[in-house]
Amino acid sequence: MQKTSKKELILYHARESFSKNGYELTALEAIAKECDITKPAIYYHFKDKAALYKAVICPEFTAVALKIEENTKMGNPIQRLENYIKIFGEFLISNPTFNAIFAREIANGSSTMPDECVEQLSRTIKQLISILNDGESAKTFTKEPPFLIQMMIVTTLTSYNTTQPLREKISQYVQNKTTQAEPNFHNIIDALSQKIIKGLLC
Amino acid sequence: MQKTSKKELILYHARESFSKNGYELTALEAIAKECDITKPAIYYHFKDKAALYKAVICPEFTAVALKIEENTKMGNPIQRLENYIKIFGEFLISNPTFNAIFAREIANGSSTMPDECVEQLSRTIKQLISILNDGESAKTFTKEPPFLIQMMIVTTLTSYNTTQPLREKISQYVQNKTTQAEPNFHNIIDALSQKIIKGLLC
DNA sequence: TATAATTTACTTACCGTTTAGTAAGCAAGG
DNA sequence: CCTTGCTTACTAAACGGTAAGTAAATTATA
């Protein structure tokens, strides 16, 4: 049985902390402690804090880009857009740490996002543009700004995940008599998908 | 001519910095410098950093709640929802500092958001719930989770604002031959409004 | 094959800087 | 003379990062 390497362990705990606390509030000393090593050991494996952050997030951006490309090439524009939303949404559920980090990057204007990640993100948007263009040519979809659609999909999903505690607090104030059970996240993906596609149809 | 008080000046520069740099990266010393005072002068007016932050954002949450309430009571559900989106969107354009701070709060799960702000935010959501319920009763709208609709509206708009630099970077990679001119933000509000309402119609 | 040299993967100890926050003093105005 | 609205000077802690050393594993050499 293969022991996970120290480097992998550092990446694991770094991901947890960046996701939970954000970049600024992540202390390398704390990560080291969780790995049962000392801080300079982190500097042995990574040049600095920024490099560690990069090492944490870049593979996830690459993974999502790959999954999107693999799953949104076939079918008619509606099916492809459904898949785009579904794949993105399910990736976010399966990778809550990525969800949290991505949400913060967007809120930050991505000023600190490594170029490598921007490039990977561009691949997914390229795919979305292709879907929207095809749908438009086929007179299935109306012409819309692709970035707007991207925001409607991605930020709605990420923020729905990050705001669960907020929703609970708000519920106390709202006292919605007709409160329905909080829909689970898979339902949210479906509901969002239906609404966006309906909104786009000619 | 009335000189703006030092307290107002502190609030102004604090708002700028919290908005631009976020809570953690805002240094009180820097704010003091911009106000031509010293750091302890800030502590004369505000208990601590958290209190200053609260003083910056709470009035804005109150203002948006008020505006929403004033402008979404009249008309049929479609008109009211149109107004809800328009008022929210225009508030975000007119208050870019609020936009940036709000976006970060959402991405953070609002764990640091003062209860007072949560309460004000609840007022706007109450209004949205009322609109959606009325639309549902009138068989105008399908039944949808209100928080999802809120996220589709609010996070799409805030993030469209915060991600302008990101969009520019992505454009370099995407090389969209059919690139249309970046729509201005008022067009974005309209486009979003149309799409959401279309998606909600029975 | 024994041994010397080198590299790997860390640790201990420390530095410099930043930053929130405080104690005490002081000048001006009522 | 006392309150308001600050300033000067300071503390304590946190944090990113580095220098130097070391035990163990690996490789080169005699």
Side-chain angles (χ1 to χ4, degrees):
Chain A
M1 56 202 197
Q2 174 93 15
K3 224 184 83 187
T4 39
S5 72
K6 280 274 144 75
K7 194 173 177 179
E8 286 302 317
L9 196 64
I10 294 167
L11 281 170
Y12 172 80
H13 288 289
R15 187 167 10 249
E16 294 291 315
S17 181
F18 283 135
S19 147
K20 193 174 169 198
N21 311 311
Y23 184 84
E24 316 300 338
L25 288 183
T26 288
L28 297 187
E29 195 109 40
I31 293 176
K33 210 166 197 175
E34 281 166 347
C35 299
D36 269 314
I37 55 174
T38 58
K39 188 172 53 166
I42 296 177
Y43 283 86
Y44 175 76
H45 292 286
F46 303 95
K47 187 179 155 282
D48 54 19
K49 192 181 180 181
L52 176 58
Y53 183 69
K54 230 173 133 167
V56 161
I57 59 168
C58 285
E60 310 219 42
F61 276 93
T62 307
V64 74
L66 251 166
K67 276 214 166 166
I68 289 285
E69 282 179 353
E70 275 170 10
N71 291 281
T72 60
K73 290 208 195 297
M74 312 289 276
N76 63 43
I78 293 178
Q79 292 165 335
R80 290 171 70 201
L81 187 54
E82 270 170 358
N83 281 341
Y84 186 90
I85 297 170
K86 194 179 177 146
I87 298 293
F88 226 120
E90 275 168 7
F91 190 89
L92 294 173
I93 307 180
S94 326
N95 300 69
T97 53
F98 175 71
N99 188 329
I101 291 171
F102 191 27
R104 283 204 185 84
E105 283 291 346
I106 291 172
N108 263 327
S110 313
S111 47
T112 59
M113 199 160 108
D115 283 351
E116 206 179 315
C117 297
V118 177
E119 201 179 336
Q120 297 303 319
L121 192 56
S122 302
R123 285 171 61 192
T124 78
I125 290 176
K126 225 174 199 164
Q127 209 56 31
L128 179 65
I129 290 175
S130 141
I131 296 170
L132 294 177
N133 281 346
D134 287 2
E136 199 190 315
S137 304
K139 311 251 186 243
T140 312
F141 294 151
T142 56
K143 185 180 182 65
E144 302 299 339
F147 279 118
L148 173 63
I149 309 300
Q150 172 78 358
M151 293 295 127
M152 286 180 74
I153 298 168
V154 174
T155 70
T156 302
L157 291 172
T158 55
S159 65
Y160 200 87
N161 277 333
T162 63
T163 53
Q164 203 189 326
L166 178 63
R167 287 200 300 279
E168 278 162 20
K169 280 191 216 165
I170 287 179
S171 295
Q172 293 170 5
Y173 291 104
V174 168
Q175 308 269 31
N176 184 10
K177 277 117 196 168
T178 65
T179 289
Q180 59 229 65
E182 272 274 304
N184 80 28
F185 198 70
H186 288 282
N187 298 140
I188 288 294
I189 297 174
D190 282 344
L192 178 69
S193 180
Q194 281 168 30
K195 245 130 295 305
I196 287 179
I197 285 167
K198 200 163 154 193
L200 275 173
L201 287 177
C202 280
Chain B
M1 56 201 200
Q2 173 92 13
K3 225 184 82 185
T4 39
S5 71
K6 280 275 145 74
K7 193 172 178 180
E8 286 303 315
L9 196 64
I10 293 168
L11 282 169
Y12 173 80
H13 288 289
R15 185 164 14 247
E16 294 292 314
S17 180
F18 284 134
S19 148
K20 193 175 170 197
N21 311 311
Y23 185 83
E24 317 301 338
L25 288 183
T26 287
L28 297 188
E29 194 108 40
I31 293 176
K33 210 166 197 174
E34 284 166 345
C35 300
D36 270 315
I37 54 174
T38 57
K39 189 172 51 164
I42 298 178
Y43 282 87
Y44 175 77
H45 291 286
F46 303 95
K47 187 179 155 280
D48 53 20
K49 192 181 180 180
L52 175 59
Y53 183 68
K54 231 172 132 167
V56 161
I57 59 169
C58 286
E60 311 219 41
F61 276 93
T62 306
V64 75
L66 251 167
K67 276 213 166 166
I68 289 286
E69 283 179 352
E70 276 170 10
N71 291 280
T72 60
K73 289 208 194 296
M74 312 290 275
N76 64 44
I78 293 180
Q79 292 164 336
R80 290 172 70 201
L81 186 54
E82 270 171 359
N83 281 341
Y84 187 91
I85 297 171
K86 194 179 178 148
I87 299 292
F88 225 121
E90 276 168 8
F91 191 89
L92 295 173
I93 306 180
S94 326
N95 300 69
T97 53
F98 175 72
N99 189 330
I101 292 170
F102 191 27
R104 284 204 185 85
E105 282 292 346
I106 291 172
N108 262 327
S110 313
S111 47
T112 61
M113 200 161 109
D115 282 352
E116 206 181 315
C117 298
V118 177
E119 201 179 336
Q120 297 304 318
L121 193 55
S122 302
R123 286 170 60 193
T124 79
I125 290 175
K126 224 173 200 164
Q127 210 55 32
L128 178 65
I129 290 175
S130 141
I131 297 170
L132 295 176
N133 281 346
D134 287 1
E136 199 190 315
S137 303
K139 312 254 186 238
T140 314
F141 295 151
T142 57
K143 185 178 181 67
E144 301 299 339
F147 279 118
L148 173 64
I149 308 301
Q150 171 79 355
M151 292 295 130
M152 286 180 73
I153 297 169
V154 175
T155 70
T156 302
L157 291 173
T158 55
S159 65
Y160 200 88
N161 277 334
T162 63
T163 54
Q164 202 187 327
L166 178 63
R167 287 200 300 278
E168 278 162 20
K169 281 191 214 165
I170 288 179
S171 294
Q172 292 170 6
Y173 290 105
V174 167
Q175 308 269 30
N176 185 11
K177 278 118 196 166
T178 64
T179 287
Q180 58 230 63
E182 272 272 305
N184 79 29
F185 197 70
H186 287 283
N187 297 139
I188 288 294
I189 297 175
D190 282 343
L192 178 68
S193 181
Q194 281 168 30
K195 245 132 294 307
I196 288 179
I197 285 167
K198 199 163 154 192
L200 275 174
L201 288 177
C202 281

